[in-house]
Amino acid sequence: MRNRIFQGATAVEDQWQLVEEDSTTSAEVHLLYHYADWIENRATYLAQPGAKGVLLSNTDDVASLMPDLERLALICIDFPEAVDGRGYSQARLLRDRLGYSGELRAVGEVLVDQLFLMRRCGFDAYALPDKNVECISKYLDPFTVKYQ
Amino acid sequence: MYQYSALDQQLVDERVEQFRDQTQRFLAGELSEEAFRPLRLMNGLYIQTHAPMLRVAIPYGLLASDQLRKLAHIARTYDRSFAHLTTRQNIQYNWLKLEDVPDVLEELSRVEMHAIQTSGNCIRNTTADHLAGVVADELDDPRPYCEIIRQWSTLHPEFSFLPRKFKIAVSGSAHDRAATQVHDIGIYLVNNPDQGIGFRILVGGGLGRTPVIGKVIRDFLPRHQLLSYLEAILRIYNQQGRRDNKYKARIKILVNALGIDTFRDLVEEEWLHLKDSGIDLGEAEIEAMRQFFQPFEYIADTGEGEQALARSCQDSPAFRIWYERNTQEHKAGAYRIVNVSVKAPGIAPGDLTDAQMDGVAALADNFSFGQVRVTHEQNLVLADVRKVDLHAVWKGLVALDLSTPNIGTLTDLICCPGLDYCSLANASSIPIAKQIGDRFDDLDYLYDLGDIKIKISGCMNACGHHHVGHIGILGVDKKGEEWYQITLGGSAEEDASLGKIIGPAVAKDQVAETIAKVLDVYIAVRQEEETFLQCVRRLGIAPFKEAAYA
Ligand code: SF4
């Protein structure tokens, strides 16, 4: 069962397929690589046509993606648990320091009540495990003021 | 004191609405207990032994009288007519109903108060010297910087899910009353001859299972660079702090594992990127914040106050005793600082009734510029009382049962809620406080002992700061029975140190008796003017240990 994907507040069809060791890939979808796979085979993947993305666990070093950032259309950051906040720092580093401007998607334990924090750290897409959520706009922006 | 701007108010109002929605979804079954837990914790709401416990933030311990009246009103309307002062200058309610909590938060928001980040693995209420602004030995008032930190840390998008809770304290005086060195980050205001006022920053202090004194990470930080430097520390901690074991998740463990020098290098490297990135405040903004905390317009000292005091002391020995014990010098000659003892015999330390809160609010309005402070030692302070008014204030406090002349003595002890309220407790602590109060009820004896700080925790989490008590008491569970481990020689002040365990835990009914034996040794061997702490430091624990188990 796939997650519900939102780009900003808009629900969208997911165009991406995560490449596992034994997966067969089709030409219709964009390919998302695990970080370790990407680091090892980046030259090969970069030479192939089509959009590319990388899935990070929250302990992966975002700085090592620096040379590839302009060629990546998607970076996913995994939240293994809702209360594990490492992904927020990764997002800010990617956006504020490394200047990544492609889609930045939160995946894993992504709960509606944390979306406003994610958005403020630079995420612009969210894979929600909860299929019942129809509309996320009120959760993206519950505060009209901020201190930081 | 700080006054909310329209934006501050809006943020708090929107927070109330957000939490109301979350609570309703939880009660309707749309939000699981697991998903609701971190959300309620970030609003100070625990599920405790009896009922939800709500911890309300009192930023750096400063309250206006209308805020204190609101706290009284909440106690009366939603709780059992009392509330409890915590060891981090906050206040908690122990008997609320979950469904009432959004309304309570809304009531608080009307007086510029909230419960944001009083719990959870985020940046907690920043604490400060409770005598900020009124003592002569102060370099600069720490509260403007605390408020700056409060705003920066409130709903910080990156640091709301840290490995563990995170506590910051700021002190601006040579004498440290804020337990600065046992905080995750401790900040001392310092003066640099070339760069003016700035900060010495300590990191990695803390109590709990692994008590550690903080280490200096930066000797001098210019004051306008505070936020970027804090952000650098927090980012390193957020990324590298352990998350596999909650007892090893505090920043102190990371700092110890890496070593302070490596940790410092990481932070300084991170800071290079952050320091000119627009996080910091300008000098004008800092000055604007300082304006909120300017001294009151004190009237000049004409000697009238001293005369009134001399008369009152002669007329009433009880007043004289209270005056000598519970009041202290103010930087303005016509004033005194009044310590309000919330340690009356038989009462749980730090418990206040609604009537007491209302009464103190009225005294503040009449005699102390409408402000009250909460100390981390679980007392209140009326910080700016004219000497001519002291007798009237004392009478008011006597009527409220808040005049016990025991400030700084053995019975002015710190005590966590323990088994009576806390679901994590191994043993009770309030009954131990009572046992000590009963055993040591002779004021002359207490005064002869001088300043002694007893601190009691009901488990290793050390909310009662037992490691840094001159005498520390830790409740432990031995095969279902409550036993108590005693430490000597701790201090949370500028000479911070961790107490040493004197030996095997003692039975519950033996705690006060054991302390009495320890004190007998002190009285027998002390040198002239030597305090208990100095005596323990000079002799080590051996003679005390020997007597305690004799
Ligand atoms: S020290 Fe332990 S028993 Fe006391 S309040 Fe903290 S967690 Fe509860």
Side-chain angles (χ1 to χ4, degrees):
Chain A
M1 218 13 204
R2 305 190 85 149
N3 295 323
R4 239 183 129 81
I5 310 293
F6 291 85
Q7 280 173 335
T10 314
V12 296
E13 273 303 307
D14 195 5
Q15 308 291 335
W16 291 84
Q17 182 190 348
L18 180 61
V19 181
E20 305 282 4
E21 245 172 73
D22 52 357
S23 41
T24 48
T25 54
S26 88
E28 276 99 80
V29 289
H30 308 318
L31 298 181
L32 178 68
Y33 298 96
H34 283 288
Y35 171 82
D37 185 10
W38 177 265
I39 293 295
E40 205 182 310
N41 303 304
R42 48 188 293 280
T44 318
Y45 296 150
L46 281 169
Q48 291 165 1
K52 297 153 196 77
V54 175
L55 168 63
L56 298 176
S57 80
N58 67 8
T59 50
D60 292 333
D61 174 23
V62 295
S64 54
L65 290 180
M66 190 149 68
D68 308 330
L69 287 178
E70 291 197 5
R71 312 275 305 271
L72 291 174
L74 174 69
I75 294 177
C76 294
I77 295 177
D78 182 43
F79 285 79
E81 292 176 281
V83 293
D84 186 334
R86 282 176 276 200
Y88 297 99
S89 288
Q90 287 174 309
R92 283 199 60 197
L93 287 170
L94 277 169
R95 290 293 197 212
D96 300 350
R97 186 161 315 160
L98 303 175
Y100 173 66
S101 59
E103 179 175 328
L104 185 57
R105 186 187 290 182
V107 303
E109 281 294 305
V110 180
L111 307 183
V112 289
D113 292 289
Q114 287 164 213
L115 294 178
F116 75 105
L117 300 170
M118 291 176 173
R119 188 183 65 82
R120 289 203 42 212
C121 286
F123 288 100
D124 56 2
Y126 317 92
L128 267 65
D130 184 350
K131 310 292 174 311
N132 300 319
V133 180
E134 296 293 335
C135 173
I136 62 167
S137 50
K138 84 165 179 179
Y139 298 112
L140 283 175
D141 218 359
F143 295 96
T144 50
V145 268
K146 60 178 197 291
Y147 284 126
Q148 300 79 18
Chain B
M1 74 189 279
Y2 185 69
Q3 308 277 312
Y4 275 15
S5 69
L7 294 181
D8 298 319
Q9 187 64 49
Q10 196 168 338
L11 183 132
V12 170
D13 292 346
E14 289 171 354
R15 179 62 159 185
V16 173
E17 279 321 301
Q18 184 194 38
F19 188 66
R20 189 182 294 284
D21 173 65
Q22 291 166 348
T23 307
Q24 278 164 1
R25 281 187 286 136
F26 172 68
L27 291 172
E30 294 165 30
L31 209 54
S32 69
E33 167 57 36
E34 196 198 349
F36 185 54
R37 189 170 178 276
L39 304 176
R40 65 170 164 74
L41 284 178
M42 248 176 286
N43 275 291
L45 189 61
Y46 287 78
I47 303 298
Q48 285 293 32
T49 307
H50 307 290
M53 182 274 275
L54 179 71
R55 184 180 297 144
V56 175
I58 301 176
Y60 33 93
L62 186 59
L63 280 173
S65 55
D66 64 324
Q67 295 177 319
L68 186 53
R69 267 189 286 271
K70 179 63 88 177
L71 294 172
H73 165 78
I74 290 169
R76 194 159 47 236
T77 314
Y78 300 96
D79 201 295
R80 298 189 176 176
S81 294
F82 75 96
H84 176 77
L85 302 174
T86 78
T87 53
R88 292 203 76 252
Q89 299 181 299
N90 292 321
I91 194 162
Q92 5 193 100
Y93 294 98
N94 284 306
W95 304 90
L96 295 175
K97 289 202 208 67
L98 175 59
E99 51 273 33
D100 285 341
V101 172
D103 292 337
V104 171
L105 294 178
E106 188 175 333
E107 296 244 22
L108 289 169
S109 72
R110 295 200 198 123
V111 291
E112 306 189 356
M113 293 185 82
H114 60 72
I116 299 172
Q117 289 167 215
T118 53
S119 176
N121 294 335
C122 47
I123 304 169
R124 304 286 190 87
N125 184 24
T126 299
T127 52
D129 183 353
H130 55 267
L131 300 185
V134 294
V135 277
D137 72 347
E138 185 173 83
L139 185 62
D140 194 16
D141 192 327
R143 295 170 301 177
Y145 307 103
C146 293
E147 178 59 27
I148 287 169
I149 295 169
R150 184 190 77 81
Q151 297 190 9
W152 161 79
S153 62
T154 297
L155 304 184
H156 196 293
E158 186 177 344
F159 305 132
S160 290
F161 293 94
L162 297 169
R164 200 76 177 86
K165 57 190 169 184
F166 202 91
K167 301 176 180 179
I168 303 175
V170 190
S171 169
S173 284
H175 182 40
D176 181 358
R177 284 168 287 260
T180 309
Q181 299 185 34
V182 290
H183 279 73
D184 296 284
I185 292 180
I187 302 177
Y188 284 118
L189 273 76
V190 289
N191 195 15
N192 179 298
D194 302 321
Q195 303 182 75
I197 297 283
F199 309 105
R200 176 178 301 128
I201 312 270
L202 279 72
V203 69
L207 299 173
R209 279 173 199 236
T210 318
V212 187
I213 307 278
K215 299 171 184 71
V216 176
I217 183 165
R218 200 164 226 283
D219 241 330
F220 184 81
L221 179 75
R223 67 176 191 171
H224 68 275
Q225 294 182 309
L226 178 63
L227 295 185
S228 60
Y229 202 79
L230 294 181
E231 191 130 338
I233 294 175
L234 265 298
R235 181 169 286 170
I236 298 299
Y237 171 55
N238 189 40
Q239 293 192 295
Q240 302 203 17
R242 283 181 64 174
R243 291 174 189 262
D244 58 325
N245 177 341
K246 78 171 187 171
Y247 299 114
K248 300 204 176 334
R250 295 287 288 267
I251 195 172
K252 62 192 173 189
I253 305 288
L254 177 66
V255 172
N256 280 354
L258 293 173
I260 182 66
D261 295 326
T262 305
F263 184 78
R264 181 185 300 112
D265 291 346
L266 289 171
V267 168
E268 295 274 334
E269 158 75 23
E270 185 63 34
W271 188 50
L272 284 180
H273 296 284
L274 292 172
K275 68 178 176 181
D276 296 311
S277 68
I279 299 167
D280 284 314
L281 299 182
E283 281 297 323
E285 288 165 290
I286 295 172
E287 275 311 314
M289 187 60 85
R290 292 182 74 234
Q291 289 308 310
F292 284 108
F293 299 91
Q294 290 302 302
F296 297 115
E297 287 192 8
Y298 297 121
I299 55 169
D301 188 7
T302 58
E304 184 197 0
E306 286 299 333
Q307 288 163 14
L309 277 177
R311 273 195 308 276
S312 302
C313 285
Q314 206 162 28
D315 294 349
S316 163
F319 171 77
R320 183 179 56 77
I321 289 170
W322 172 84
Y323 164 75
E324 286 171 357
R325 247 303 138 185
N326 287 18
T327 78
Q328 66 191 94
E329 194 175 313
H330 190 289
K331 69 180 181 186
Y335 293 77
R336 293 285 282 183
I337 298 164
V338 171
N339 292 291
V340 177
S341 170
V342 191
K343 309 289 172 62
I347 303 294
D351 271 7
L352 280 171
T353 66
D354 60 328
Q356 287 176 321
M357 290 186 256
D358 280 336
V360 173
L363 289 173
D365 280 338
N366 292 333
F367 302 112
S368 196
F369 297 91
Q371 288 186 7
V372 181
R373 295 145 183 243
V374 177
T375 80
H376 85 272
E377 295 183 334
Q378 302 175 292
N379 290 313
L380 297 175
V381 170
L382 293 166
D384 306 274
V385 178
R386 281 183 69 190
K387 287 176 180 168
V388 291
D389 293 331
L390 279 172
H391 192 263
V393 168
W394 171 68
K395 275 174 51 185
L397 292 173
V398 169
L400 295 167
D401 198 17
L402 292 171
S403 66
T404 310
N406 63 348
I407 293 291
T409 70
L410 191 76
T411 55
D412 178 17
L413 45 74
I414 290 188
C415 168
C416 82
L419 206 56
D420 295 76
Y421 295 100
C422 174
S423 50
L424 302 172
N426 285 328
S428 48
S429 30
I430 295 169
I432 299 300
K434 188 163 181 311
Q435 189 187 112
I436 292 170
D438 292 345
R439 175 70 175 71
F440 301 98
D441 60 350
D442 176 351
L443 282 175
D444 287 331
Y445 180 67
L446 292 181
Y447 297 159
D448 179 48
L449 290 171
D451 285 351
I452 296 187
K453 292 183 194 293
I454 294 191
K455 303 186 196 242
I456 310 172
S457 303
C459 79
M460 304 261 273
N461 288 330
C463 304
H465 301 179
H466 63 275
H467 302 109
V468 288
H470 300 170
I471 299 175
I473 302 172
L474 166 67
V476 292
D477 173 280
K478 271 198 196 173
K479 300 195 181 98
E481 277 180 38
E482 298 166 74
W483 287 70
Y484 294 85
Q485 203 173 67
I486 293 172
T487 51
L488 299 180
S491 165
E493 300 185 353
E494 59 278 11
D495 58 351
S497 59
L498 302 170
K500 294 196 180 68
I501 299 171
I502 62 166
V506 301
K508 187 172 184 180
D509 59 1
Q510 289 301 306
V511 176
E513 205 40 53
T514 308
I515 290 171
K517 290 178 189 163
V518 165
L519 294 172
D520 285 345
V521 174
Y522 163 60
I523 287 178
V525 303
R526 67 181 165 186
Q527 298 174 343
E528 216 174 313
E529 303 278 304
E530 188 177 46
T531 65
F532 176 74
L533 180 62
Q534 288 165 341
C535 184
V536 173
R537 284 181 173 168
R538 177 171 60 89
L539 296 174
I541 59 169
F544 300 95
K545 176 177 181 157
E546 196 178 318
Y549 296 98

